[in-house]
Amino acid sequence: MSDDPIFTLNQRLARTVNLGNALEAPSEGEWGVFLQEEYFDRIAGAGFTAVRIPVRFSAHAGSEAPYTIDPAFLARVDWAVDQANARGLTAIVDLHHYMESFTNPLAEKERFLGIWAQLAEHFQDRPDEMVFFELLNEPNGLLVNALWNDLAAETLAVVRRTNPTRPVVIGPGNWNAFDSLPGLKLPVDDRNIIVTFHYYLPFQFTHQGADWVEGSDAWLGTPWDGTPGETAALAADFDSVLAWAEEQGRPVFLGEFGAYQRADTASRLRWTEAVRRAAEARGFTWGYWEFCAGFGLYDPAASAWREELLHALIP
């Protein structure tokens, strides 16, 4: 299966960074990040190959058919894709934070499909190797595996009407958890799919002090020392992903991983490098979460990389 062109296209994502907290906020800038042209220069110059652009399209689309996406907002997404592509970076257009689908998936189905019909038509003339689609970030809540499998298949069929060979990124339910991959069912005859999972384990380490996680202040001071037990747990998790992917004949993109800024720096560096190495050793491409907010590699106030963290990813 590794002869499939999709495995080569997946290598476009070899070193990806997420442009988080910008276009997936309710409105750009509300979470402290407003995308700047210079960010794309920095990202390309540091040796990244791609950016994942999380976008909350559901906050900028009509509530009635045909669920029209606000043209000004779509133009802003275009701008971000253009900035990436102009610097040789592949852009993943990622449908992010579609909260309504998690609380009322059946009622939102037609709107979800309508949004993707517009996006697929809008981007259909972009080169396949420069723009990838990600159908939905972290399905969760009432959008359980069975419902998500059905919705993903229907959405993929909509996308394929205008983008027959576009790489499409799809992950499992339960927040794209690695151990939910066995529940992910993909159309067998579609070979232009990249499978994704997210990794934030141990969660009490990666999310210590995160203000959106209830009780996380109690975890402050949790280290990650890279002990034999810790590294063995990481290896076992990634080995299980590899076994599933090889059985299915699918390439893998670790779409998100990161440790929040309130963890101690030495532990963050050890963990980030260990996860990156574990991914690369198994042929997974990866996307760090994220560029310049609470997990950030880049300090926007100082206009400078956090060099040690950057080097944990790109030595």
Side-chain angles (χ1 to χ4, degrees), residues 2-315:
S2 59
D3 293 337
D4 286 353
I6 193 61
F7 282 84
T8 300
L9 283 168
N10 185 39
Q11 290 306 308
R12 302 284 309 179
L13 309 182
R15 296 181 302 278
T16 303
V17 66
N18 282 272
L19 296 176
N21 286 41
L23 294 174
E24 89 276 22
S27 60
E28 187 181 8
E30 195 170 324
W31 291 351
V33 178
F34 197 89
L35 296 179
Q36 311 286 334
E37 185 171 347
E38 68 182 76
Y39 293 173
F40 296 88
D41 290 328
R42 299 276 189 163
I43 289 165
F48 288 96
T49 61
V51 292
R52 180 170 178 256
I53 308 173
V55 188
R56 192 185 299 219
F57 287 105
S58 57
H60 303 274
S63 57
E64 305 292 336
Y67 315 107
T68 303
I69 299 169
D70 173 46
F73 182 73
L74 191 52
R76 180 64 175 164
V77 177
D78 273 334
W79 174 87
V81 172
D82 288 341
Q83 294 300 317
N85 287 175
R87 293 158 178 83
L89 299 165
T90 291
I92 304 171
V93 177
D94 158 44
L95 191 69
H96 209 95
H97 284 328
Y98 197 138
M99 304 305 194
E100 304 92 327
S101 276
F102 307 147
T103 56
N104 204 348
L106 295 177
E108 286 294 320
K109 176 181 166 182
E110 292 307 317
R111 185 169 183 250
F112 188 92
L113 294 173
I115 289 171
W116 265 115
Q118 293 173 72
L119 294 175
E121 183 176 351
H122 182 77
F123 287 108
Q124 64 181 324
D125 294 328
R126 299 271 188 164
D128 284 352
E129 70 273 13
M130 298 310 294
V131 177
F132 294 7
F133 294 158
E134 183 166 350
L135 296 187
L136 181 62
N137 177 73
E138 295 185 346
N140 66 83
L142 297 180
L143 188 57
V144 295
N145 268 338
L147 288 177
W148 170 231
N149 287 335
D150 290 345
L151 180 59
E154 285 192 59
T155 308
L156 195 61
V158 167
V159 167
R160 291 295 178 228
R161 290 202 294 261
T162 49
N163 293 258
T165 57
R166 173 91 45 206
V168 175
V169 178
I170 305 177
N174 191 30
W175 307 86
N176 291 153
F178 82 93
D179 52 1
S180 291
L181 279 168
L184 179 63
K185 307 301 179 193
L186 299 170
V188 175
D189 58 350
D190 193 323
R191 305 312 304 173
N192 292 300
I193 294 170
I194 295 168
V195 172
T196 191
F197 75 105
H198 294 176
Y199 197 78
Y200 291 105
L201 298 176
F203 195 71
Q204 291 187 347
F205 166 70
T206 64
H207 281 67
Q208 58 188 292
D211 55 13
W212 66 95
V213 180
E214 188 176 350
S216 64
D217 280 357
W219 308 337
L220 286 168
T222 302
W224 197 86
D225 295 319
T227 65
E230 288 170 333
T231 53
L234 170 60
D237 293 346
F238 278 43
D239 283 344
S240 72
V241 174
L242 180 60
W244 181 88
E246 288 181 336
E247 181 183 315
Q248 300 294 321
R250 301 287 188 183
V252 174
F253 170 55
L254 168 58
E256 291 185 16
F257 68 105
Y260 191 56
Q261 62 189 2
R262 295 185 70 187
D264 74 272
T265 299
S267 290
R268 285 182 79 197
L269 296 175
R270 276 191 294 269
W271 182 88
T272 300
E273 182 174 357
V275 174
R276 188 263 303 169
R277 284 179 178 273
E280 291 177 348
R282 291 160 180 82
F284 306 163
T285 56
W286 53 259
Y288 180 77
W289 187 271
E290 35 65 32
F291 178 62
C292 70
F295 294 75
L297 294 170
Y298 183 78
D299 181 348
S303 297
W305 290 105
R306 296 183 170 101
E307 292 286 351
E308 290 181 313
L309 198 52
L310 177 62
H311 291 156
L313 294 170
I314 303 179

